[in-house]
Amino acid sequence: SILINEVMSSNSITIYDEEGDAPDWIELFNNGASKVNLDGYYLSDDSLNITKWKFGNISIDPGEHLIVFASDKDTNFTYWHTNFKISASGEKITLSDADGSIVDQVDLPALSTDVSFGRISDGSLSWMIQVPSPGSENTGREIQGYADAVSVSLPGGFYSSVVHVELLAGDSEIYYTLDGSDPDSNSIKYSNPIS
């Protein structure tokens, strides 16, 4: 009845640990009707070593969430901290019981900073990239797809004559500014090379 419920692989301001750091985190959820003691359970980001990090004596009540920081600190003060971090480019996270049997696992996609990958609602089968809710009920508020990365035809620098800069971003629209401010959909829409 213990599930991986939500994961964040690039935390900047969503939640802080007891030292004021913002590490990656894994949220577990007790989807059952009984309290479960996690003593001897394992979390891992290594499919060849599913017993990479071991829980001590802690229990989760029915309907309760537990945040575990994937900080590489391997400590337990206010929060539990694993001996590994999570790759923002995506990887598999595994929860195993005291017998070393896999209880739950999730294939984490690449994530941007301060977004999470979680079950649409606590304990549900479907997952999505969503607004994070560490330690509380999952929001179910999906974060829509990301724009394609922008590539620039010339490297930054100083040029002795006029240059024409081309921008490409797959199927995404590009908006830009010429004064260094952050662009938005009210900025200049790119359609032709910029001189």
Side-chain angles (χ1 to χ4, degrees):
S1 63
I2 300 298
L3 303 171
I4 299 170
N5 201 51
E6 188 176 6
V7 182
M8 181 176 282
S9 58
S10 182
N11 180 18
S12 175
I13 60 170
T14 299
I15 184 173
Y16 299 95
D17 69 12
E18 61 274 20
E19 295 178 338
D21 296 328
D24 309 333
W25 51 270
I26 301 164
E27 178 190 81
L28 301 182
F29 177 69
N30 184 345
N31 199 36
S34 303
K35 179 185 280 194
V36 175
N37 189 310
L38 295 178
D39 195 9
Y41 276 61
Y42 299 91
L43 280 171
S44 180
D45 66 341
D46 184 348
S47 58
L48 299 177
N49 180 13
I50 63 170
T51 60
K52 189 170 186 178
W53 180 79
K54 185 177 179 181
F55 275 99
N57 185 22
I58 186 168
S59 296
I60 304 179
D61 289 322
E64 185 177 33
H65 302 88
L66 175 69
I67 296 294
V68 178
F69 284 110
S71 64
D72 204 24
K73 294 179 182 179
D74 198 15
T75 60
N76 172 27
F77 295 116
T78 304
Y79 294 98
W80 291 88
H81 289 262
T82 67
N83 59 356
F84 62 88
K85 295 180 179 181
I86 305 171
S87 172
S89 63
E91 64 181 333
K92 185 175 287 193
I93 304 296
T94 304
L95 173 68
S96 306
D97 65 16
D99 296 326
S101 300
I102 295 175
V103 173
D104 196 15
Q105 61 184 3
V106 59
D107 286 315
L108 190 64
L111 294 173
S112 294
T113 302
D114 291 312
V115 299
S116 69
F117 189 62
R119 296 176 186 270
I120 291 175
S121 60
D122 290 344
S124 71
L125 295 177
S126 299
W127 289 73
M128 69 179 179
I129 296 173
Q130 63 180 283
V131 175
S133 59
S136 60
E137 185 176 345
N138 284 4
T139 64
R141 292 178 31 220
E142 184 175 14
I143 294 177
Q144 296 299 315
Y146 301 95
D148 295 316
V150 176
S151 61
V152 181
S153 63
L154 295 172
F158 295 97
Y159 293 87
S160 59
S161 60
V162 173
V163 295
H164 302 282
V165 179
E166 293 183 49
L167 305 175
L168 296 172
D171 294 331
S172 298
E173 294 179 341
I174 301 172
Y175 294 89
Y176 67 96
T177 63
L178 297 173
D179 63 2
S181 62
D182 290 331
D184 60 27
S185 59
N186 295 318
S187 301
I188 305 165
K189 184 176 178 180
Y190 175 81
S191 58
N192 295 307
I194 303 166
S195 295

